[in-house]
């Protein structure tokens, strides 16, 4: 393995040099990315509509091309799914990544071009390995196989020549032939749409393999790990795969799951790398094991813009390039990509922890927050407050969601937290007190509304019955893949559905 690793490190040298290049010259690299995108798409219907060919500056691009969401470009995507070409991007679009919908659309179908597959998503995967080999040159990663929990795909109901599915399924389907030698389970099993059947087949196939790495969403990997341990009667995952050394995770915050993984994989040589890979593109990679920030990848054919959070509600919000962002501020991310998404607001919010190089942390969603009473609680606030409450009480959280309890005639508003614990706290009231006080420390707006219970009453924390969130996902047809539980909501839609399941499970005991 040392000789093989030396060859890989030599191959990675040029790529690591290019990564260092955009670390040093972020604005220049981003400017080149934008004008390369505009040049390629000048002859498309969208390019002609907004005069891509004559755009001479970033400022002119921002003035001429509108910021859009999915609903704005949905008519173009429906035409693409019917087989039209040259609308948003010059090359043929055969793949559409299906992801959770907006309030208007049940599901979004994000176009994925061949250029995006090769120069964004697959380059991102290769860069994760390049960075890992740079951090840990004496690893044994390729002595075994990597296990990726994928979704499924199917023929598009618009056009038999195009396909849609989870991004993970699209990536598995389009991987090079040699990937079969370093991957498990087989492609046939990886793409099974039925999660529970996939889990059984995956167990049969992977138990005989030497698995050295895992990749996927933490919550679903935990379900898989616990299934494997129950099936084998083993106490931890190293008793099944003793050479396991890396988990590449993304999709949700790792903070609520870290302690569970460390207990189930009790090894000081186990490494964790977060990636920010969405249906719309591969955006960032954790390049320092001592920090949970991620390096923004600036040469993947994506031009980034950032809207200050306070500007979001304005009809023409100002947008900033990487040159103008500030550390510690909350931004909504806007992207222009090599799949033909132009100034597209993806719905995620981030904050910069560094500008030299540009490193980010995901703070939440533009739609997933609680601001029913002016408290502006975002997912980052929630994750950090829960982490403090868990640390103080010894609790371990499996899943959670929170929503407002709206004011009534003789009743103030408050927040309701439904939490499913892997290990519950000894006293739920103590947990709730620490959660509340931590939110006050982290968020001055929440603190102001909680002061003397003037606007917000003390939060209500309910311990969910085991299996509540799993059953909710099952009933919605969202088991496995990249599906996630909404953490925060400004309405009670999700929490009321979950509470109904919780109550049903309690009554059936």
């Amino acid at each position: 393995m040392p000789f093989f690793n030396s060859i890989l490190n030599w191959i990675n040298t040029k790529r690591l040099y290019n990564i260092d290049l955009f670390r040093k010259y972020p604005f220049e690299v981003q400017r080149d990315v934008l004008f390369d995108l505009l040049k390629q798409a000048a002859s498309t219907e969208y390019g002609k509509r907004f005069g891509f060919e004559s755009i001479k500056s970033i400022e002119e691009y921002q003035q001429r091309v509108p910021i859009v969401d999915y609903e704005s470009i949905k008519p173009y995507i429906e035409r693409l799914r019917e087989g039209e070409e040259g609308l948003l991007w010059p090359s043929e679009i055969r793949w559409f990544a299906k992801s959770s919908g907006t309030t208007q659309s049940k599901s979004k179908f994000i176009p994925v071009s061949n250029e995006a597959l090769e120069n964004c998503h697959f380059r991102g995967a290769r860069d994760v390995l390049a960075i890992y080999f740079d951090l840990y040159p004496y690893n044994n990663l390729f002595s075994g196989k990597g296990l990726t929990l994928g979704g499924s795909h199917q023929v598009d109901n618009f056009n038999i020549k195009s396909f849609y599915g989870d991004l993970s399924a699209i990536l598995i389907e389009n991987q090079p032939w040699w990937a079969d030698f370093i991957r498990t389970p087989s492609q046939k099993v990886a793409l099974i749409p039925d999660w529970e059947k996939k889990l059984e087949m995956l167990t049969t196939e992977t138990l005989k393999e030497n698995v050295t790495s895992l990749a996927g969403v933490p919550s679903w990997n935990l379900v898989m790990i616990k299934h494997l341990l129950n099936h084998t009667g083993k106490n931890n995952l190293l008793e099944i795969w003793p050479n396991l050394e890396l988990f590449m995770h993304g999709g949700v915050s790792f903070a609520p799951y870290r302690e569970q993984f460390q207990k189930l994989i009790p090894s000081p040589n186990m490494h964790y790398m977060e990636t920010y890979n969405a249906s719309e593109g591969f955006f960032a990679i954790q390049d320092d094991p001592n920090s949970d920030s991620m390096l923004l990848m600036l040469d993947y054919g994506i031009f980034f813009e950032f809207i200050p959070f306070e500007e979001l509600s304005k009809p023409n919000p100002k947008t900033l390039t990487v040159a103008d962002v500030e550390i510690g501020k909350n931004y909504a991310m806007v992207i222009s990509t090599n799949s033909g998404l132009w100034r597209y607001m993806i719905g995620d919010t981030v904050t910069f922890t560094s500008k030299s190089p540009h490193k980010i942390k995901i703070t939440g969603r533009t739609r997933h927050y609680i601001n029913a009473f002016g408290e502006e609680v975002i997912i980052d606030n929630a994750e950090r407050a829960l982490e403090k409450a868990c640390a103080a009480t010894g609790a371990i959280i499996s899943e959670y969601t929170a929503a407002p309890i709206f004011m009534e005639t003789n009743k103030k508003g408050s927040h309701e937290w439904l939490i499913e614990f892997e290990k519950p706290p000894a006293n739920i009231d103590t947990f709730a007190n620490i959660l509340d006080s931590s939110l006050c420390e982290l968020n001055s707006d929440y603190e102001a509304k909680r002061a003397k219970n003037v606007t917000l009453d003390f939060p209500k924390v309910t311990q969910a019955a085991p299996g509540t969130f799993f059953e909710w996902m099952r009933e919605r047809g969202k088991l496995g893949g990249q599906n996630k539980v909404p953490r925060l909501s400004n309405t009670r839609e999700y929490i009321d559905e979950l509470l109904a399941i919780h109550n049903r499970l309690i009554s059936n005991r």
Side-chain angles (χ1 to χ4, degrees):
M1 287 307 295
F3 176 71
F4 182 63
N5 284 6
S6 296
I7 294 174
L8 283 174
N9 285 328
W10 178 78
I11 292 171
N12 288 334
T13 299
K14 182 179 179 183
R15 180 58 195 152
L16 291 170
Y17 170 80
N18 288 334
I19 291 173
D20 280 337
L21 203 63
F22 72 66
R23 281 186 172 117
K24 294 174 183 175
Y25 305 103
F27 177 74
E28 292 79 2
V29 168
Q30 275 284 277
R31 181 185 57 203
D32 291 347
V33 165
L34 175 62
F35 284 101
D36 182 58
L37 291 173
L38 293 174
K39 182 179 178 181
Q40 290 188 70
S43 62
T44 64
E45 183 175 310
Y46 208 79
K48 290 176 180 176
R49 178 181 173 185
F50 293 105
F52 283 6
E53 192 172 21
S54 61
I55 292 175
K56 304 300 181 188
S57 68
I58 291 173
E59 293 75 19
E60 189 175 357
Y61 174 67
Q62 292 172 330
Q63 291 165 8
R64 192 180 295 185
V65 181
I67 294 172
V68 298
D69 59 11
Y70 185 77
E71 295 304 316
S72 304
I73 59 167
K74 185 179 176 183
Y76 284 98
I77 291 175
E78 288 181 342
R79 289 168 62 193
L80 284 171
R81 291 177 64 195
E82 287 171 347
E84 286 192 60
E85 296 180 18
L87 302 179
L88 299 171
W89 187 250
S91 64
E92 181 185 24
I93 306 287
R94 295 180 60 243
W95 292 95
F96 296 86
K98 184 181 179 183
S99 66
S100 300
T102 60
T103 51
Q104 288 81 24
S105 294
K106 183 178 179 181
S107 296
K108 296 186 292 187
F109 295 87
I110 305 300
V112 181
S113 69
N114 289 331
E115 290 85 353
L117 280 171
E118 184 56 39
N119 300 323
C120 182
H121 293 290
F122 287 143
R123 176 178 284 185
R126 291 193 297 268
D127 282 353
V128 172
L129 295 179
I131 291 170
Y132 183 73
F133 271 74
D134 190 46
L135 290 171
Y136 309 102
Y138 302 107
N139 68 78
N140 291 300
L141 200 65
F142 285 116
S143 66
K145 294 186 176 183
L147 193 163
T148 300
L149 273 182
S152 62
H153 69 77
Q154 57 197 90
V155 174
D156 201 315
N157 56 357
F158 276 50
N159 174 17
I160 61 170
K161 294 182 180 179
S162 67
F163 305 86
Y164 69 86
D166 289 349
L167 174 68
S168 56
I170 292 172
L171 298 181
I172 289 170
E173 180 69 36
N174 286 278
Q175 282 178 336
W177 61 270
W178 49 262
D180 287 333
F181 295 107
I182 58 172
R183 176 189 73 199
T184 191
S186 63
Q187 186 178 106
K188 180 181 177 181
V189 171
L191 296 176
I192 291 174
D194 185 301
W195 164 254
E196 289 163 310
K197 181 180 178 183
K198 177 188 294 188
L199 204 53
E200 294 298 331
M201 298 290 287
L202 178 148
T203 299
T204 302
E205 281 200 9
T206 60
L207 284 179
K208 60 190 177 186
E209 299 285 1
N210 174 28
V211 173
T212 55
S213 69
L214 306 174
V217 177
S219 52
W220 293 115
N221 271 267
L222 270 181
V223 174
M224 176 194 73
I225 291 169
K226 291 173 182 177
H227 179 83
L228 289 166
L229 295 178
N230 286 335
H231 180 84
T232 59
K234 304 294 185 184
N235 294 312
N236 67 67
L237 203 55
L238 295 178
E239 294 179 11
I240 300 174
W241 298 318
N243 299 314
L244 188 64
E245 64 174 88
L246 173 63
F247 178 36
M248 296 165 280
H249 59 87
V252 297
S253 169
F254 192 53
Y257 304 102
R258 185 179 301 278
E259 188 174 346
Q260 291 187 70
F261 272 90
Q262 290 172 342
K263 290 179 72 172
L264 294 171
I265 312 172
S267 168
N269 299 316
M270 183 67 190
H271 306 295
Y272 300 89
M273 288 181 71
E274 184 172 4
T275 64
Y276 184 7
N277 189 18
S279 300
E280 297 86 354
F282 201 123
F283 304 133
I285 299 170
Q286 184 181 2
D287 67 339
D288 179 356
N290 298 312
S291 169
D292 57 359
S293 299
M294 293 179 282
L295 179 69
L296 192 63
M297 308 304 286
L298 301 177
D299 65 348
Y300 284 6
I302 298 173
F303 177 70
F304 294 98
E305 298 175 76
F306 302 91
I307 302 175
F309 198 73
E310 63 272 15
E311 292 267 328
L312 265 179
S313 59
K314 297 181 180 179
N316 295 299
K318 70 175 180 180
T319 57
L320 308 175
T321 68
V322 290
D324 301 314
V325 293
E326 297 177 36
I327 293 172
K329 291 197 69 173
N330 210 27
Y331 297 102
M333 202 156 76
V334 174
I335 56 173
S336 299
T337 78
N338 49 9
S339 277
L341 300 176
W342 301 102
R343 306 200 77 204
Y344 181 80
M345 191 185 299
I346 64 171
D348 288 345
T349 58
V350 301
T351 189
F352 283 85
T353 60
S354 165
K355 285 189 65 176
S356 183
H358 283 78
K359 293 193 178 187
I360 61 170
K361 291 177 69 173
I362 303 168
T363 55
R365 298 281 295 170
T366 56
R367 294 180 182 272
H368 291 178
Y369 56 87
I370 304 178
N371 193 31
F373 314 102
E375 66 274 46
E376 295 189 7
V377 174
I378 61 174
I379 292 174
D380 184 59
N381 300 154
E383 300 282 3
R384 291 167 65 187
L386 288 168
E387 201 169 0
K388 288 187 176 186
C390 286
T393 63
I396 300 174
I397 291 174
S398 296
E399 296 288 357
Y400 77 90
T401 195
I405 299 174
F406 292 104
M407 294 179 178
E408 297 177 10
T409 305
N410 298 310
K411 185 178 177 183
K412 297 185 184 74
S414 62
H415 291 176
E416 182 165 14
W417 296 76
L418 182 65
I419 305 175
E420 189 172 328
F421 291 98
E422 175 73 16
K423 177 187 175 185
N427 188 306
I428 197 72
D429 292 332
T430 302
F431 183 93
N433 270 298
I434 298 169
L435 172 63
D436 181 54
S437 60
S438 298
L439 283 171
C440 287
E441 292 172 14
L442 293 164
N443 184 318
S444 58
D445 291 312
Y446 180 86
E447 182 183 34
K449 303 301 181 293
R450 281 284 296 121
K452 298 181 180 179
N453 294 338
V454 171
T455 304
L456 277 179
D457 266 342
F458 188 79
K460 178 182 180 181
V461 178
T462 299
Q463 182 177 336
T468 296
F469 286 85
F470 185 89
E471 187 60 30
W472 183 76
M473 297 289 272
R474 185 210 299 272
E475 290 181 6
R476 292 167 64 92
K478 297 285 187 180
L479 289 181
Q482 296 162 271
N483 298 305
K484 294 162 282 192
V485 173
R487 298 306 196 190
L488 304 178
S489 176
N490 225 22
T491 75
R492 293 191 56 83
E493 175 189 358
Y494 304 123
I495 201 166
D496 283 342
E497 292 175 354
L498 282 155
L499 283 167
I501 293 170
H502 160 77
N503 291 330
R504 188 173 76 226
L505 291 174
I506 291 293
S507 64
N508 289 339
R509 283 181 176 178

